Amino acid sequence: YLHLSLRRQRQMCIRDRDKDIKKKLTRNWFINLQEMICNTIQQIEGEKIKFLKKNWKRSIKKDEGGGCYYILENGKVFDKVGVNFSEVYGKLTKEFKKKIPGTKNNRDFWASGVSVVMHMKNPHIPAMHFNTRYIYTNHGWFGGGMDVTPCFNDSTVKKLLFKKLKKICDRHDKKYFKKYKKWCDEYFYLSHRKEPRGIGGIFFDYKKKDWEKDFGFVRDLGINFIQIFNQIISLRKSKKWNLKQKNIQYLKRGRYVEFNLLYDRGTKFGLQTGGNVEAILMSLPPLAKWK
């Protein structure tokens, strides 16, 4: 019995050490990715308008993690762009834990990720969203994706987006693109409007079969997101626009708001785990309209 007990203790120590290493690696990657994304956005926007940085804590009374977000507003290219990093931990509420895998026997959780939302000045440049995250309860898993929401039909942007995403997915698994594109189309859908939020992209969740392979895919997607938004902005930033087109953009942003407040998992998870409200709602556009 003593031998079995010692062996179990060793196994638990190895598992805990492995868990901590995975958390540190993913957290550090998300921090680095946030910096790379912000640097690229700042280069596109120029030096006149700069990011404002805000650090936040999940709890004032005890250590439950936190994060920081960067906001850039009223630029010549960006109406508003937010880049948020978070690392939070603690206990889930009894009600919310039922919705999260791996919480049958306990309510402990740890989560880290980076999320980006871009609302553009020029209506011909689509709104763009990106998110990757790693969550740990009794086990860990990755989730995330990216999607694009144009105001007008743009076959060039659509072709560029899906060509790039397919290439990324195929490097890791030939089945990923079809599966994650379909998941994205189903996820970013406003059922009360019976319409998609945008042209889609890819979306995935609960990736936990092969940590090294999954982490490689998440890193690859992050690097390529930078290339994708840079290319799309370069393609359309010089295209002329008028007030009528801007008003169409405001109406499209209204749909964006509806999705984020009614359906978005990240918004719900952040609010129900005591996250920073300003960081969570940074995805909302500065101005939107409804008829």
Side-chain angles (χ1 to χ4, degrees):
Y1 286 117
L2 179 60
H3 175 70
L4 288 172
S5 178
L6 289 171
R7 188 171 67 182
R8 287 196 189 104
Q9 287 180 35
R10 283 197 296 270
Q11 289 172 342
M12 287 177 66
C13 287
I14 292 169
R15 188 174 68 241
D16 288 344
R17 185 177 61 189
D18 183 54
K19 176 178 69 175
D20 290 340
I21 289 171
K22 288 175 180 177
K23 287 179 180 180
K24 287 178 181 178
L25 287 171
T26 52
R27 178 198 64 198
N28 291 343
W29 164 249
F30 294 139
I31 291 171
N32 290 331
L33 181 60
Q34 182 189 41
E35 184 178 356
M36 287 188 285
I37 291 170
C38 287
N39 287 341
T40 305
I41 291 169
Q42 192 70 72
Q43 288 172 11
I44 294 169
E45 181 58 44
E47 294 300 315
K48 191 174 180 180
I49 306 293
K50 292 186 178 292
F51 275 104
L52 295 176
K53 181 183 178 181
K54 177 74 173 180
N55 293 308
W56 58 272
K57 291 184 177 181
R58 182 169 176 246
S59 173
I60 299 173
K61 296 180 180 179
K62 52 186 176 179
D63 180 18
E64 291 185 323
C68 72
Y69 64 92
Y70 290 81
I71 295 284
L72 187 151
E73 294 183 281
N74 301 316
K76 65 180 181 180
V77 179
F78 301 92
D79 263 349
K80 179 184 176 185
V81 54
V83 187
N84 182 43
F85 161 78
S86 63
E87 181 192 12
V88 295
Y89 38 85
K91 290 190 179 294
L92 298 166
T93 63
K94 291 181 179 179
E95 295 76 20
F96 191 50
K97 92 179 190 78
K98 299 172 185 177
K99 303 175 184 178
I100 305 297
T103 57
K104 185 177 181 180
N105 299 319
N106 70 73
R107 295 190 286 128
D108 294 333
F109 83 98
W110 178 95
S112 185
V114 62
S115 59
V116 187
V117 177
M118 300 176 176
H119 295 291
M120 314 307 296
K121 181 76 72 180
N122 189 329
H124 295 293
I125 307 175
M128 288 176 274
H129 161 255
F130 167 86
N131 168 265
T132 46
R133 58 191 174 271
Y134 183 62
I135 299 173
Y136 206 102
T137 50
N138 283 338
H139 57 267
W141 73 90
F142 290 97
M146 69 162 291
D147 68 291
V148 170
T149 305
C151 302
F152 311 102
N153 291 329
D154 191 330
S155 58
T156 302
V157 166
K158 189 173 183 178
K159 185 177 179 181
L160 183 156
L161 173 69
F162 290 119
K163 183 179 179 181
K164 289 280 186 182
L165 290 176
K166 187 176 188 306
K167 190 175 181 180
I168 299 163
C169 289
D170 287 352
R171 276 200 294 267
H172 299 268
D173 192 311
K174 297 287 185 182
K175 297 177 182 178
Y176 280 0
F177 179 70
K178 184 177 179 181
K179 178 182 178 181
Y180 296 158
K181 182 181 182 300
K182 182 175 183 291
W183 200 341
C184 184
D185 290 339
E186 291 171 352
Y187 178 67
F188 290 103
Y189 186 78
L190 291 88
S191 56
H192 66 290
R193 297 278 189 185
K194 294 182 172 55
E195 65 184 46
R197 186 172 84 171
I199 58 173
I202 61 171
F203 178 83
F204 57 93
D205 212 349
Y206 310 124
K207 286 183 70 64
K208 60 182 181 178
K209 287 185 178 180
D210 186 327
W211 187 88
E212 288 188 12
K213 181 181 178 182
D214 294 341
F215 189 30
F217 175 65
V218 164
R219 295 198 308 272
D220 199 7
L221 185 62
I223 293 295
N224 278 273
F225 169 67
I226 296 173
Q227 297 176 4
I228 290 169
F229 77 69
N230 210 342
Q231 282 187 269
I232 291 175
I233 291 170
S234 296
L235 271 175
R236 293 291 175 257
K237 69 179 181 180
S238 300
K239 190 168 182 178
K240 301 294 182 182
W241 56 274
N242 55 40
L243 185 59
K244 182 180 178 181
Q245 291 165 334
K246 192 67 178 175
N247 276 311
I248 291 172
Q249 183 191 50
Y250 289 148
L251 291 170
K252 189 66 177 176
R253 285 179 179 177
R255 300 291 204 263
Y256 207 96
V257 171
E258 289 174 18
F259 179 87
N260 279 33
L261 295 183
L262 292 173
Y263 305 114
D264 188 75
R265 289 184 187 179
T267 301
K268 291 180 179 180
F269 183 86
L271 293 174
Q272 292 178 330
T273 55
N276 180 270
V277 174
E278 295 301 323
I280 295 163
L281 299 183
M282 72 168 193
S283 61
L284 301 181
L287 290 172
K289 288 185 177 182
W290 285 263
K291 281 188 178 181

